Amino acid sequence: MLRWIRQQLGFDPPHQSETRTVYIANRFPQRGHYIPQRFADNRIISSKYTIWNFVPKNLFEQFRRIANFYFLIIFLVQLMIDTPTSPVTSGLPLFFVITVTAIKQGYEDWLRHKADNEVNGAPVFVVRSGSLVQTRSKNIRVGDIVRVAKDETFPADLVLLSSDREEGTCHITTASLDGETNLKTHYAVPETATCQSVSRLETLQAVVECQQPEADLYRFVGRMTIKQHGEEIVRPLGPENLLLRGARLKNTKEIFGVAVYTGMESKMALNYKCKSQKRSAVEKSMNTFLIIYLGILLSEAVLSTILKYAWQAENKWDEPFYNEKTEQERNSSQILKFISDFLAFLVLYNFIIPISLYVTVEMQKFLGSFFIGWDLDLYHEETNQKAQVNTSDLNEELGQVEYVFTDKTGTLTENEMQFRECSINGTKYQEINGKLFPEGLTDDSPDGSAPGLGKEGELFLKAVSLCHTVQISYDQTDGPGDPFSHTNGLSSQMEYYASSPDEKALVEATKRMGVTFMGSKGEYMEIKICGKFEKYKLLHVLEFDADRRRMSVILRTPSGEKVLFTKGAESAILPYTKSGEIEKTRVHVDEFALKGLRTLVVAYRPFSEEEYKEVDRRIHEARTALQNREARLAEVFNFVEKDLVLLGATGVEDKLQDKVQDTIEALRLAGIKVWVLTGDKHETAVSVSLSCGHFHRTMNILELVQKKTDQECAEQLRRLCRRITEDHVIQHGLVVDGASLSLALRGHEKLFMEVCKNCSAVLCCRMAPLQKAKVVRLLKTSPEKPITLAIGDGANDVSMIQEAHVGIGIMGKEGRQAVRNSDYAIARFRFLAKLLLVHGHFYYIRIATLVQYFFYKNVCFITPQFLYQFFCLFSQQTLYDSVYLTLYNICFTSLPILVYSLFEQLVHPHILQSKPVLYRDISKNSMLSFKTFLYWTVLGFCHAFVFFFGSYILMGEDTSLMGNGQMFGNWTFGTLVFTVMVITVTLKLALETHFWTWMNHFVTWGSIAFYFIFSLFYGGIIWPFLHTQDMYFVFVQLLSSGSTWFAIIIIITTCLFPDVIKKVVYRHLQPTSTQKSQMEEDTVSVRSEYDIAESRNREEDNWQLLAASPRPAHHVTLPSPSLLSPTGASDAWTRCAASRRGRAAAHGWVSWWSE
């Protein structure tokens, strides 16, 4: 605890240096004064609370919410001063809300504690004191050597020391971290790979120096210093040496690794980050309305306080004979009295602020989110994936989207690559039946053989089959697959695994063409060419990165030569080539791109011995550097990847997903603009945009590409602006590349936005991940503040998904990072149409009505209380009983609006999908506009006036409504107002309900019935635990008067009849698109019912006619007319037609009828 306090105060930071030193097996140096570094233990803590801090921490978090804090203040005021209502009226609803929320959060945290204990208590094996010891996961320390067996997960971040394989490699899957299911190979350094037993590890003397913990899963910089035979050997460590906590060991019997990051410092734990809280437009509107109502509350309280003192200016009202003041009251401060009275009125009117609104909204969002997962139309049967909701706070935002930003590969396309064409040494080839034929030739030669590719073609295929990170899995029954099992005479079925679908497609293509990649073993890669095997020693791998946009391998050929093979985007390869058919290849790449193919350019570079020594030295120095390793590696890679000899290019097809074109067109009709943001080549992206309907053939395509300077970019933007204003074209499309976009965002944002807003579709190509996020932020923060949605499937889309108002992840083939960081996840792009047009529509109208209705019913509730003060000399006498004050929002009026907000449908889902234009009716937050808010508020005040004065007129002075001449008192008057109010606000919601279910009927009529039953019990029995019972027999007495029943009916009719007239008039004179669709739906429904009835009558008449006629030769018993109901007729005819007897009978009737 003391250490934690010191760390929080900054006196004892956990990491004083930028690197950490880990002594393997915790063998610290004996000589010199060594102070060991402090590291975190291996406990994972995902819980939020402990048993000691739950109550204070949870209360603090809940009272940060302004509504809860407001009601807490009101409750404290009621406790401190003499107020007209009991503290229970505010305290009980507040206690209910706080308790329900605390129980929910406490239960969720208990589940997290339970999961943490299971993880932290898992058994693990650790090497200690020369033996293998079993302990719990939480006891692992940094520096411990841990043994992990096959199919087990790694309990900490480990640097691989050795495995059961001689070369020290192992295979893992990181599906639980990033969703990638492909096998990844990790390596031990050669000096530790031989330590395959506990005894050998006991003699190992090594130190690991690495960076301090960071969240990036794919970055690790370190080095290992091994002492052997009196000398120190330094080996670089990178991501390929680090086994991440949560990953699983596959196809390897066991491994040993040293723990370098433990517990909450492991990379998995550091990725437990909370996404920035997104707030919906509805929530912002709700807070605005709350502030307005707070203003109304303060105004009513101030006005009532002023009027009270104005009224008491006369002595007869200030101190009447029946209520003389005490001496203390006469001498008290007028200012304190004014403040006290103001607070008392504030308490009296505080129910105009609906505390239960927040709880109801949370319940509606939470329960409503299940409908997305339950929707079978959003279920993808092929992959067995259903839609998932990661946050329910943004359900209604799905109905407000104005811009959709989508990735291309894996989102609009299947991310299933198929090799189609290639260019070798300036000649274009296409694949036909697994063979390469020059363009224009076919496989109709007598022997079906393809023309020879020559030396260049063979080198091209070798480069493609060797320059990759593909792994092979061999389907063998026992033991791990041996990549070179063919040499032992074993046959096995091999399958390629790759992190990139492009690489897998290319390696499979070279296999079909006779150059087969047989696998890697240690430092060697093997290929088979025409039945002959060739081994290449892998010297270096120059990994792919987004800046270079290429990857390379340096190999030693069987003849001993050193050669570099590289592949990447044409913009990353062609500028560095010095020879080859550069111009022809460039033309072919453009042609591939116009066909919508993904292109890669392949090149090589031979090294002399001197050149290779220099390259090897530079790479080793850069890889062993602890500081600025990435920058130094990038510099070395650029030094190596130059003076290339061009070999050719490949064209791989990525198929479009089903119904992408229909989905984009539906979004366009709904008023949603679609932007495609992709890293693909300009021509490829344009071709795919045209094929998927993002760009139309008739659309005027504008381009902002290949701009080098700010001046060029600004001039082009001005030209585009002039062209848009001059061209009389209905729709424009814009194409922007990444370089030009960077210039446009640097100093010409307004000009760029002006062009974009006048374009129906925008395509951004050659985009880096952060550029995608910048584009989304640019639109999101523009003056119009449009609601944005981003959808993607890969890790490069995460920044865009998190930046947008709504982020949607596609469950694709590029891992699950996008899904994990999204708000919603769907299996296919086509599901986006229903998610927005149907679910978004429903969620928005439901919650918009819920919010407006809550404020309306609370205005109806508290305004009569305000009016009553004019008739009781502002004495702060309450109109309603305290129990009614407490239960109005909790019991009497809560369930109907909750059920409405879960099930309401203004239009049938099929109509919403077939008419996307209906989405425009709810855009721009139209149902929560100030005009609509004002209507509901004024309506609430009008109804409240009718409640109060209607009851007042009925029970005017000296009016007796009882048969014995007895008059009603103030509690009876308040109960009459309350009764009319409960019935009216419930029926008002019934008028707003369009889609009735049995639950709507149950809660609507059940709420009214519950109020009557509760009131009869509450007022009809003397309850011993109540100090005073003002309501005793009041309700029974009220309902025993026939005049009261008449008044209730008249007042309710007076309130609701104008609403009915307004609905009818507006529906027929100024119908919205939604109302027109409702009327069409009703017409179709009535017509279908009429057709069914007519068909039934016609069939019954025919059967009666046939039954009265003489029978044909075939004796058939006719089914009774009772079968001819809509379902019965269908079943009867189906059974009849399906049987031989039925067909014979039908034939007999037809023959008889024709005769």
Side-chain angles (χ1 to χ4, degrees), residues 232-258:
E232 292 186 349
I233 302 171
V234 179
R235 294 290 184 183
L237 298 175
E240 68 279 2
N241 306 111
L242 185 68
L243 306 172
L244 298 178
R245 178 176 188 142
R248 190 177 294 273
L249 184 65
K250 289 287 185 182
N251 290 358
T252 310
K253 185 179 177 182
E254 67 175 12
I255 65 99
F256 289 96
V258 58

Coordinates of all heavy atoms in Angstrom, one line a residue, residues 232-258:
E232 N 30.8 -13.0 -24.6 CA 29.4 -12.6 -24.6 C 28.9 -12.5 -26.1 O 29.5 -11.9 -26.9 CB 29.2 -11.2 -24.0 CG 29.4 -11.3 -22.5 CD 29.1 -9.9 -21.8 OE1 28.9 -8.9 -22.6 OE2 29.1 -9.9 -20.6
I233 N 27.8 -13.1 -26.4 CA 27.1 -13.1 -27.7 C 25.9 -12.3 -27.6 O 25.0 -12.5 -26.7 CB 26.8 -14.5 -28.2 CG1 28.1 -15.4 -28.2 CG2 26.2 -14.5 -29.6 CD1 27.9 -16.8 -28.5
V234 N 25.7 -11.3 -28.5 CA 24.5 -10.4 -28.5 C 23.6 -10.8 -29.6 O 24.1 -10.8 -30.8 CB 24.9 -8.9 -28.5 CG1 23.7 -8.0 -28.6 CG2 25.8 -8.6 -27.4
R235 N 22.4 -11.0 -29.4 CA 21.4 -11.4 -30.4 C 20.2 -10.4 -30.3 O 19.7 -10.1 -29.2 CB 20.9 -12.8 -30.2 CG 21.9 -13.9 -30.4 CD 22.3 -14.0 -31.9 NE 23.3 -15.1 -32.1 CZ 23.8 -15.3 -33.3 NH1 23.5 -14.6 -34.4 NH2 24.6 -16.3 -33.5
P236 N 19.7 -9.9 -31.5 CA 18.6 -9.0 -31.5 C 17.3 -9.8 -31.2 O 17.1 -11.0 -31.5 CB 18.5 -8.4 -32.9 CG 19.2 -9.5 -33.7 CD 20.2 -10.1 -32.9
L237 N 16.4 -9.1 -30.5 CA 15.0 -9.7 -30.2 C 14.0 -8.8 -30.9 O 14.1 -7.5 -30.7 CB 14.8 -9.8 -28.7 CG 15.7 -10.8 -28.0 CD1 15.4 -10.7 -26.5 CD2 15.6 -12.2 -28.5
G238 N 13.0 -9.4 -31.5 CA 11.9 -8.6 -32.1 C 10.6 -9.3 -31.8 O 10.5 -10.3 -31.0
P239 N 9.5 -8.9 -32.5 CA 8.2 -9.5 -32.3 C 8.2 -11.0 -32.6 O 7.4 -11.7 -32.0 CB 7.3 -8.7 -33.3 CG 8.0 -7.4 -33.6 CD 9.5 -7.8 -33.5
E240 N 9.1 -11.4 -33.5 CA 9.1 -12.9 -33.8 C 9.6 -13.7 -32.7 O 9.5 -14.9 -32.7 CB 9.9 -13.1 -35.1 CG 11.3 -12.9 -35.0 CD 11.7 -11.4 -35.1 OE1 10.8 -10.5 -35.2 OE2 13.0 -11.1 -35.0
N241 N 10.2 -13.1 -31.6 CA 10.8 -13.8 -30.5 C 9.9 -13.8 -29.3 O 10.1 -14.5 -28.3 CB 12.2 -13.3 -30.1 CG 13.1 -13.2 -31.3 OD1 13.5 -12.1 -31.8 ND2 13.5 -14.4 -31.8
L242 N 8.8 -12.9 -29.3 CA 8.0 -12.7 -28.1 C 6.7 -13.5 -28.3 O 6.0 -13.4 -29.3 CB 7.7 -11.2 -28.0 CG 7.0 -10.8 -26.7 CD1 7.8 -11.0 -25.5 CD2 6.5 -9.3 -26.8
L243 N 6.4 -14.2 -27.2 CA 5.1 -15.0 -27.1 C 4.2 -14.2 -26.2 O 4.5 -14.1 -25.0 CB 5.4 -16.4 -26.6 CG 6.5 -17.2 -27.4 CD1 6.8 -18.5 -26.6 CD2 6.0 -17.5 -28.8
L244 N 3.1 -13.8 -26.8 CA 2.2 -12.9 -26.0 C 1.3 -13.6 -25.1 O 0.7 -14.7 -25.5 CB 1.4 -12.0 -27.0 CG 2.2 -11.1 -27.9 CD1 1.3 -10.3 -28.8 CD2 3.0 -10.1 -27.1
R245 N 1.0 -13.0 -23.9 CA 0.0 -13.6 -23.0 C -1.3 -13.7 -23.7 O -1.7 -12.8 -24.4 CB -0.1 -12.7 -21.8 CG -1.1 -13.3 -20.8 CD -1.2 -12.5 -19.5 NE -2.1 -13.2 -18.6 CZ -1.9 -13.2 -17.3 NH1 -0.9 -12.7 -16.8 NH2 -2.8 -13.9 -16.5
G246 N -2.0 -14.8 -23.6 CA -3.3 -15.0 -24.2 C -3.2 -15.8 -25.5 O -4.2 -16.3 -26.0
A247 N -2.0 -15.8 -26.2 CA -1.9 -16.6 -27.4 C -1.8 -18.0 -27.0 O -1.5 -18.4 -25.9 CB -0.6 -16.1 -28.2
R248 N -2.0 -18.9 -28.0 CA -2.0 -20.4 -27.7 C -1.0 -21.1 -28.5 O -0.8 -20.8 -29.7 CB -3.4 -20.9 -28.1 CG -3.7 -22.3 -27.6 CD -5.1 -22.7 -27.9 NE -6.1 -22.0 -27.2 CZ -6.5 -22.3 -25.9 NH1 -6.0 -23.4 -25.3 NH2 -7.4 -21.5 -25.3
L249 N -0.3 -22.1 -27.9 CA 0.7 -22.8 -28.6 C 0.1 -23.9 -29.4 O -0.8 -24.7 -28.9 CB 1.7 -23.5 -27.5 CG 2.9 -24.3 -28.0 CD1 3.8 -23.3 -28.7 CD2 3.6 -25.0 -26.9
K250 N 0.5 -24.1 -30.7 CA 0.0 -25.0 -31.6 C 1.1 -25.8 -32.3 O 2.2 -25.3 -32.5 CB -0.9 -24.3 -32.7 CG -2.2 -23.7 -32.2 CD -3.2 -24.8 -31.9 CE -4.5 -24.2 -31.5 NZ -5.5 -25.3 -31.2
N251 N 0.8 -27.1 -32.6 CA 1.7 -27.9 -33.4 C 3.1 -28.0 -32.8 O 4.1 -28.2 -33.5 CB 1.8 -27.4 -34.9 CG 0.5 -27.6 -35.6 OD1 -0.5 -28.2 -35.1 ND2 0.5 -27.2 -36.9
T252 N 3.2 -27.8 -31.5 CA 4.5 -27.8 -30.9 C 4.3 -28.5 -29.5 O 3.4 -28.1 -28.8 CB 5.1 -26.4 -30.7 OG1 5.1 -25.7 -31.9 CG2 6.5 -26.5 -30.1
K253 N 5.1 -29.5 -29.2 CA 4.9 -30.3 -28.0 C 5.0 -29.4 -26.7 O 4.2 -29.4 -25.8 CB 5.9 -31.5 -27.9 CG 5.6 -32.4 -26.7 CD 6.6 -33.5 -26.8 CE 6.4 -34.4 -25.5 NZ 7.4 -35.6 -25.5
E254 N 6.1 -28.6 -26.6 CA 6.3 -27.8 -25.5 C 7.4 -26.7 -25.8 O 8.2 -26.9 -26.7 CB 6.8 -28.6 -24.2 CG 8.2 -29.2 -24.4 CD 8.6 -29.9 -23.1 OE1 7.8 -30.1 -22.2 OE2 9.8 -30.2 -23.0
I255 N 7.4 -25.6 -25.0 CA 8.4 -24.6 -25.2 C 8.8 -24.1 -23.8 O 8.1 -24.3 -22.8 CB 7.9 -23.4 -26.0 CG1 6.7 -22.7 -25.3 CG2 7.5 -23.8 -27.4 CD1 7.1 -21.4 -24.6
F256 N 10.0 -23.5 -23.7 CA 10.4 -22.8 -22.5 C 10.6 -21.4 -22.9 O 11.2 -21.1 -24.0 CB 11.7 -23.4 -22.0 CG 11.6 -24.8 -21.4 CD1 11.8 -25.9 -22.1 CD2 11.2 -24.9 -20.1 CE1 11.7 -27.2 -21.6 CE2 11.1 -26.2 -19.5 CZ 11.3 -27.3 -20.2
G257 N 10.2 -20.5 -22.0 CA 10.3 -19.0 -22.3 C 10.6 -18.3 -21.0 O 10.2 -18.7 -19.9
V258 N 11.2 -17.1 -21.1 CA 11.5 -16.3 -19.9 C 10.5 -15.2 -19.9 O 10.2 -14.5 -20.9 CB 12.9 -15.8 -19.9 CG1 13.2 -15.0 -21.2 CG2 13.2 -15.0 -18.6

